[in-house]
Amino acid sequence: MSSPTDIFLPPTLPYPIKITSLDVQLGTTVQRGTRLLTYSFLYASPATVSKPETRFGTWDCSIEGTVESWRVKSGDCISTQKAKQRPIICITEPCKHGVQIGGLCGLCGKDMTEFDYTGFSDASRASIQMTHSAFGPTVSLEEARRLEKETADHLLKSRKLSLIVDLDQTIVHATVDPTVGEWIAEGEAWEARQTKKRSTTPNDGPSDDDSDGTASDAEDECNPNWEALQDVRKFRLGPESFGMLPRGGHKGKGKQKLIENEGCMYYIKPRPGTQEFFQNISVKYEMHVYTMGTRAYAEEVCAAIDPDGKIFGGRILSRDESGSLTQKSLQRLFPCDTSMVVIIDDRADVWEWSPNLIKVIPYDFFVGIGDINSAFLPKIEPLAPTVPSPSIAKPPSPPVSESETPSLPTSTPEERDKAEMESKAMLTRNSMALEAQVEERPLAKKQEALLESDDTGSTALPGDASSHHPKSDTKAAASPKAEKVPRKALLKNDDTELQRVGYLLGEVHRRFFTSYDNRSPEDRGKKRRPTLTRSKAHDVTKIIPQMRVDTLQGVHILFSSVIPLDTKPETTEIWKIAHMFGAQCYTELSSRITHVVAAKHGTVKVDAARKRGGIKIVWLSWFTDSIALWRRQDETPYLLDDPSAAAPNSSPILDPHQISSDPEPDADDWDVEPAPAGSASLELQDIDWNDINDEVEAAMNESDDEDDAMSERSSARSVLSDNDDAMLDETRSQLSPNTTPRLKRKRLRSVTPSDSGTNGVGDKLGDALRSPLAKRKKLAASRSGASKLKEAVTADELVDTESLSDHSRKPSPLLSEPLKNFEESVEDEDYADDGDDEDDDWLAHELEVDWG
C-alpha cells in the first residue's frame, strides 16, 4: 500500500476561517465528495456598512481512501499562509494514480478524465513527462523522484553520469545541398575507375589514351573534396520534415515542387573522431540525444552514427516531444535532480547557460551552411555586444489530451492559437531555408569562387569566398573537367574539437567520483535522498561552474570598443560570460586592471593603458578563444602592436616645425585607428586656390602691425624687415589663380625658413609646402617671441642669393629630415619654374631702385 497523502485546504476558501467541527473519524473510509470538516468565517457585505456577520461552510474530500490522521482540531483558526504551509488531513489511498497514459491510470486503470464540483482532476496528479516520447506516460512528482533515485543508484553503481548530446554542429553537420551528392558521385566514379585500372593486366604499360575510352591518369583528376566526403551518410526524408508549407499561395516550381512532393536528400558528416569519442565516453556516461530536429531526422542520424544502438539505446528527444522550438529544458528529462547530468551543445542560449553545460565550438564542415534545423532561431555571434533582446515566442506547453484541459487552464484559447501560429511560422521559415539551400546550391558557388581566386593568385580562405566571389553566368554545379590547374578542396577534415570535449568530460567525471568517494561516513551510511535543497560536493552543477571560473581566475578586464556606449555593460552577454569564467570586469582604467580587451587600435582606453604600463593590451580574440577552449591563452600572439613604434607619425605631433599628416587638433576622430601613412595625401588639382588666398590674406592682416593703407613699395620694404610677411606675400604670388599648378603634386606640411637655412626670400620650396595649420603655428610662435623669422636681410645678400643657379643651391644642414624626404620624392623640374625666376628678378630690381 502507498504512503499516506497529505491534503491541503484549497486557496479559494474565505480566509481566515475557524474550524467548528471535524466531520469524519480516524480510520473512516471516504469517497470523493465526502464532507471532511465544517468552518466559520466573518462576512462583510461590500454594498452596506453593516456589521460583519458569521457564516458557515464545509470542505469535501476530493480523493478516495482511509483517514489516517488529522493535523488540526476543532477551534483552530487557519489563515491563508498557514493553509499553504500545513496539511489538514492525511489519507491513505488505494492508488495514487502516479503513472498515467492515454487518460487512464497506468496502475489501476481508473478513468482520469472525470471532473466534478470539487474542482480537482486526477489527471493533474501526473503531469510530468519523463520519457523520450511525446505520447509516453506521465508521472507525478513523487513517482518522478522515485524513478530518478533508481536511475541515480544504477548510475552510481556503474560509476557513470548522464550526458545529453546535441546533434547538429555538435556531433554531426548536415546539409541538403545537392552539390554534395554530385561530389560524392564523382568521387565514387573515380574510385571505380581506379579499381578497374588496378584490376587490368599489370603488363600493360601506362598510356596517355586508354583503349576503352577512359581518361588517362594525368587527366583523370579526383574531386578535391572526395577525401573528406568518404564518411558522409545520406538519407531521404519526406515532405513532412519541412513542416506545413503554406497552401493557397504560390505553388513551388522546379526543384521546389519536387521537394514539396518528394522531400529531399540529407547529407550527414560525422565530426572527426566521433567513433573514438563514443567509445571512450560510453564507459563514463549514459548518453541521451536532445535535438531541435524532427523525430524522423533524429532517428535517421542516430542510425547513421550509432547503427547498433549501443550508444543511445533509443534515448532520443526531438523538437516534436520537447514542447518548444526555441528553448531546451533539462527538466524535460530530469525534473527533480540534475546533479549527475552534463550537457554538450554548440548553442548556450537555448539552455540559458545552464550550469550543467559544456559549450562546444560549432562544427562547420559544410562551409557556411550552419544548423539546418534551427533556421528559425536567431543568428548568434557568441560574444558580440548585445542588448537584452525581446523574448521570443512563448514556448507552447507540453501536449496534453483534450480531456485534461479543464483541470489546469494555464492559457487562454487566444494565447494557444497565437503560439500555434508562431510555431507554424517558425517551421515555415526553416522549410524555406532548406528549399533555398537546395535551389541556390551555396557549396557549388563557394567551390567556384575558390577556384577563381586560386586562378588569380588570391589567398582568400574558403570560408570567405562566399561573400567575395565574382559573379559568373556559368552554372554553379558545372563539372570543371576542362580545368588544368589542380583544384583546391573547399571541405576540410581537420576538426579536433571532440578531443577537447572528451578531456573536459573526463575531468568532470573524475572530479565527481573523487568527491563521491571522499564523502563523509555519515553520508555513506544514509540512503541517497532525491531532494533539491540538499547540498553535496559531488554535484555537476558545482563542478562545471568551478571549471569555468578557473579559466580566467585573477584576470581583471577593461573592455574597449567592445560594448556599445549606449548599453549598460552589466546587461551585455560578454560581460556576463566574463564573470561566468572567473574574470572581473570594470568600466574605468585603474590599478586593478590586468588586461585591456580591445576591438581596435588607438582608443582612449588603449592609449591610457599603454602609458600606464604593466597592462596586457590584447585583441578581443584572446578573450573569445580562452572562453571557447576553457583555457587561458597565451597573450603574446594576441597583443596589440604599438602603432607609435611601427609608425612614429601615426599619433598627433604637436611640434610646429615638424611635417605631419595628422588631422587638426579639433577633429573628432581621436578614438579611431589612424590611417596608414600617405593615405591622406592631397592632390594640388583638388585645391581651391581662392580659399587659400583668402586665408593667406587673413593671416597677413592679423600679423601686420603697420598701416593697412601702406603703398605697394612700402609693403615690399616691410617684407625685408619681417621675414614671415615676405614669405606670405611670395606664397600669394605663387598660388595666384592665374598660375596653373602641376598635376599629381602632393601638398605637404611646410618647413619654416629658419629650419631650411635660408632667409625665406627666394625659397620657393618652403612656400609651396606651406599649409594653413603650419602657418597658424608659425604665427603663434612669432607672437610668443620664439620665432626665428625676424632676421633681417640686406640687398647685397639678396642679390647674391639670386645670382646662384638652381642646380648649385644646397640645402642648409638645419633642413629637417621630412623635407629631405620630400626633395627626394619630387622631381627637380617642379622647382625650376621660369615664372619664379622672373618674380625674383622683379623683386631684386625693385629693391635696388628703392635703396639706390
Side-chain angles (χ1 to χ4, degrees):
M1 184 175 290
S2 61
S3 60
T5 303
D6 292 334
I7 308 298
F8 292 80
L9 288 173
T12 56
L13 298 183
Y15 298 102
I17 63 173
K18 181 178 181 181
I19 306 298
T20 57
S21 65
L22 304 178
D23 298 334
V24 295
Q25 303 297 322
L26 297 180
T28 303
T29 300
V30 295
Q31 303 294 328
R32 289 176 65 96
T34 302
R35 179 180 299 178
L36 296 179
L37 58 81
T38 303
Y39 61 90
S40 63
F41 63 96
L42 293 178
Y43 174 77
S45 176
T48 62
V49 293
S50 59
K51 183 179 180 180
E53 61 180 12
T54 302
R55 293 189 178 185
F56 295 88
T58 60
W59 178 50
D60 297 341
C61 185
S62 57
I63 62 174
E64 300 175 353
T66 303
V67 178
E68 288 292 329
S69 63
W70 281 101
R71 301 295 178 86
V72 294
K73 60 182 183 295
S74 181
D76 287 351
C77 291
I78 308 297
S79 63
T80 304
Q81 189 69 19
K82 188 179 293 184
K84 293 180 181 179
Q85 297 175 352
R86 191 172 70 176
I88 299 299
I89 189 174
C90 293
I91 298 178
T92 302
E93 300 180 80
C95 180
K96 289 188 173 183
H97 315 302
V99 180
Q100 301 177 15
I101 182 170
L104 300 176
C105 176
L107 303 176
C108 67
K110 183 180 177 181
D111 186 6
M112 298 287 101
T113 62
E114 294 181 357
F115 187 78
D116 55 23
Y117 73 95
T118 61
F120 180 78
S121 173
D122 285 326
S124 63
R125 305 180 68 179
S127 59
I128 300 175
Q129 196 172 35
M130 295 182 63
T131 63
H132 299 79
S133 173
F135 306 101
T138 57
V139 298
S140 62
L141 179 61
E142 181 181 357
E143 187 68 15
R145 289 176 176 173
R146 185 189 66 82
L147 292 174
E148 284 195 0
K149 179 182 181 302
E150 291 181 358
T151 302
D153 291 341
H154 169 72
L155 292 176
L156 289 173
K157 286 181 181 180
S158 305
R159 298 188 72 82
K160 287 186 176 182
L161 300 175
S162 296
L163 177 64
I164 294 180
V165 181
D166 175 55
L167 290 181
D168 293 301
Q169 292 196 281
T170 299
I171 296 296
V172 300
H173 195 203
T175 184
V176 295
D177 190 339
T179 306
V180 178
E182 296 175 0
W183 288 347
I184 293 176
E186 185 180 343
E188 291 174 345
W190 181 85
E191 290 282 359
R193 290 194 300 270
Q194 296 301 313
T195 303
K196 184 177 181 180
K197 289 180 181 179
R198 288 192 296 267
S199 63
T200 57
T201 305
N203 295 332
D204 298 340
S207 61
D208 294 338
D209 295 325
D210 292 343
S211 59
D212 57 355
T214 59
S216 63
D217 291 341
E219 296 178 355
D220 191 12
E221 181 185 356
C222 179
N223 189 294
N225 300 297
W226 168 238
E227 182 179 358
L229 291 172
Q230 293 185 18
D231 60 342
V232 169
R233 305 292 185 263
K234 59 182 179 179
F235 55 84
R236 179 177 292 278
L237 290 181
E240 65 274 4
S241 63
F242 288 84
M244 296 297 295
L245 295 178
R247 297 184 179 273
H250 71 281
K251 294 185 178 180
K253 297 180 180 179
K255 295 179 180 178
Q256 184 175 345
K257 179 89 172 171
L258 181 64
I259 293 173
E260 188 175 337
N261 296 332
E262 300 180 9
C264 67
M265 186 71 71
Y266 286 77
Y267 301 94
I268 306 298
K269 167 68 176 180
R271 201 160 197 161
T274 298
Q275 294 304 319
E276 295 80 2
F277 175 80
F278 284 159
Q279 292 174 4
N280 296 332
I281 298 301
S282 61
V283 299
K284 300 177 181 179
Y285 289 87
E286 181 182 78
M287 285 182 268
H288 306 249
V289 169
Y290 197 159
T291 178
M292 284 291 191
T294 62
R295 181 78 184 185
Y297 171 83
E299 290 177 349
E300 290 287 351
V301 172
C302 290
I305 62 178
D306 181 28
D308 299 330
K310 296 180 179 179
I311 303 299
F312 300 113
R315 295 180 292 271
I316 302 173
L317 186 68
S318 69
R319 73 185 184 202
D320 297 338
E321 301 91 32
S322 66
S324 173
L325 293 177
T326 58
Q327 295 293 322
K328 292 182 179 180
S329 174
L330 193 57
Q331 280 67 35
R332 175 61 179 79
L333 293 175
F334 302 92
C336 302
D337 186 10
T338 60
S339 62
M340 296 180 64
V341 185
V342 182
I343 307 167
I344 57 172
D345 201 324
D346 66 294
R347 293 194 66 142
D349 58 326
V350 298
W351 293 101
E352 297 181 349
W353 278 99
S354 167
N356 304 75
L357 174 68
I358 294 179
K359 187 181 182 303
V360 178
I361 297 177
Y363 184 37
D364 197 19
F365 174 75
F366 300 112
V367 181
I369 297 298
D371 188 349
I372 64 173
N373 289 305
S374 298
F376 44 79
L377 292 178
K379 298 296 181 183
I380 184 169
E381 296 180 5
L383 297 178
T386 56
V387 295
S389 57
S391 59
I392 312 176
K394 191 174 182 180
S397 301
V400 294
S401 61
E402 295 180 359
S403 58
E404 297 176 17
T405 52
S407 59
L408 291 174
T410 55
S411 61
T412 63
E414 292 78 9
E415 292 176 347
R416 289 195 295 270
D417 292 343
K418 183 179 179 181
E420 184 178 357
M421 292 178 61
E422 290 175 347
S423 298
K424 289 183 178 180
M426 291 179 186
L427 294 177
T428 301
R429 284 201 304 271
N430 196 73
S431 301
M432 298 303 292
L434 294 181
E435 291 173 357
Q437 193 176 132
V438 173
E439 193 72 23
E440 297 174 4
R441 304 166 68 94
L443 290 176
K445 294 181 179 179
K446 291 178 185 295
Q447 182 68 59
E448 182 183 357
L450 180 62
L451 179 62
E452 293 178 359
S453 64
D454 187 41
D455 291 342
T456 58
S458 174
T459 58
L461 295 175
D464 298 334
S466 60
S467 58
H468 301 287
H469 71 275
K471 295 181 178 179
S472 176
D473 294 334
T474 60
K475 289 187 177 180
S479 177
K481 291 184 178 179
E483 291 293 337
K484 301 209 176 155
V485 180
R487 294 177 293 174
K488 281 186 177 181
L490 174 68
L491 308 179
K492 306 295 183 181
N493 203 26
D494 55 358
D495 185 88
T496 60
E497 174 66 3
L498 288 183
Q499 297 180 11
R500 184 188 70 89
V501 176
Y503 168 78
L504 293 176
L505 291 175
E507 182 66 15
V508 172
H509 182 274
R510 184 190 66 80
R511 293 190 185 190
F512 180 91
F513 281 99
T514 299
S515 178
Y516 176 75
D517 294 337
N518 295 334
R519 67 189 186 281
S520 62
E522 293 79 6
D523 292 338
R524 290 174 182 268
K526 295 179 181 179
K527 291 185 178 181
R528 188 175 183 273
R529 299 180 60 188
T531 58
L532 298 175
T533 58
R534 184 181 179 185
S535 177
K536 53 191 177 185
H538 50 284
D539 189 343
V540 166
T541 60
K542 295 181 179 179
I543 295 173
I544 292 180
Q546 184 58 47
M547 292 174 62
R548 291 177 185 164
V549 169
D550 294 341
T551 303
L552 297 178
Q553 185 72 42
V555 175
H556 299 261
I557 294 178
L558 175 66
F559 291 109
S560 177
S561 296
V562 176
I563 301 175
L565 295 177
D566 57 348
T567 304
K568 190 176 181 181
E570 294 80 4
T571 63
T572 59
E573 183 181 7
I574 192 170
W575 188 283
K576 296 177 182 178
I577 292 176
H579 279 274
M580 192 182 302
F581 281 82
Q584 297 295 320
C585 302
Y586 304 88
T587 57
E588 299 294 338
L589 185 64
S590 65
S591 59
R592 294 174 294 184
I593 302 299
T594 61
H595 291 71
V596 173
V597 177
K600 63 181 180 180
H601 276 294
T603 66
V604 175
K605 294 178 181 178
V606 168
D607 293 341
R610 201 181 299 280
K611 293 178 181 178
R612 179 183 289 267
I615 300 176
K616 295 180 180 179
I617 306 173
V618 294
W619 290 106
L620 179 61
S621 56
W622 171 82
F623 177 80
T624 56
D625 290 351
S626 300
I627 296 302
L629 299 175
W630 286 42
R631 183 175 63 254
R632 178 174 169 178
Q633 302 299 296
D634 180 20
E635 292 87 351
T636 303
Y638 301 90
L639 292 175
L640 266 76
D641 297 331
D642 188 355
S644 61
N649 293 332
S650 61
S651 59
I653 300 174
L654 301 181
D655 185 1
H657 304 296
Q658 185 171 356
I659 296 178
S660 172
S661 59
D662 287 326
E664 305 245 347
D666 57 347
D668 248 351
D669 53 357
W670 292 103
D671 199 33
V672 298
E673 185 175 356
S679 62
S681 61
L682 185 63
E683 304 289 348
L684 285 180
Q685 61 185 357
D686 298 329
I687 297 176
D688 190 343
W689 299 100
N690 292 327
D691 291 345
I692 293 180
N693 290 335
D694 294 341
E695 188 172 358
V696 172
E697 182 72 25
M700 293 175 61
N701 292 336
E702 292 176 0
S703 61
D704 194 358
D705 296 331
E706 299 179 4
D707 190 6
D708 293 337
M710 186 175 295
S711 65
E712 183 175 338
R713 187 178 301 276
S714 299
S715 298
R717 187 184 300 112
S718 175
V719 167
L720 295 176
S721 63
D722 191 339
N723 208 359
D724 184 12
D725 293 342
M727 293 187 63
L728 294 176
D729 284 337
E730 188 174 359
T731 301
R732 184 180 181 185
S733 174
Q734 289 182 355
L735 300 183
S736 172
N738 297 328
T739 303
T740 303
R742 285 185 176 87
L743 299 180
K744 303 299 181 182
R745 181 174 177 179
K746 297 181 179 179
R747 175 191 178 199
L748 300 178
R749 304 294 175 131
S750 68
V751 178
T752 59
S754 59
D755 286 348
S756 63
T758 65
N759 53 25
V761 176
D763 191 0
K764 297 178 289 300
L765 177 60
D767 290 342
L769 293 177
R770 189 164 307 284
S771 70
L773 178 59
K775 293 173 183 177
R776 289 198 293 272
K777 291 179 178 179
K778 181 179 69 62
L779 180 59
S782 65
R783 290 175 176 173
S784 62
S787 175
K788 300 178 182 179
L789 300 180
K790 298 298 183 181
E791 298 176 357
V793 60
T794 64
D796 295 337
E797 292 175 347
L798 179 62
V799 173
D800 293 340
T801 302
E802 292 298 328
S803 65
L804 293 177
S805 172
D806 289 342
H807 297 283
S808 64
R809 293 178 183 176
K810 296 182 180 180
S812 170
L814 299 178
L815 189 63
S816 61
E817 186 65 21
L819 183 57
K820 294 179 182 178
N821 296 336
F822 177 82
E823 289 179 343
E824 294 174 0
S825 62
V826 179
E827 296 179 359
D828 294 337
E829 62 180 7
D830 288 345
Y831 308 104
D833 194 341
D834 296 339
D836 291 344
D837 293 338
E838 293 177 2
D839 292 342
D840 293 341
D841 294 341
W842 172 83
L843 181 57
H845 175 72
E846 292 293 332
L847 292 174
E848 290 174 359
V849 173
D850 185 37
W851 287 5

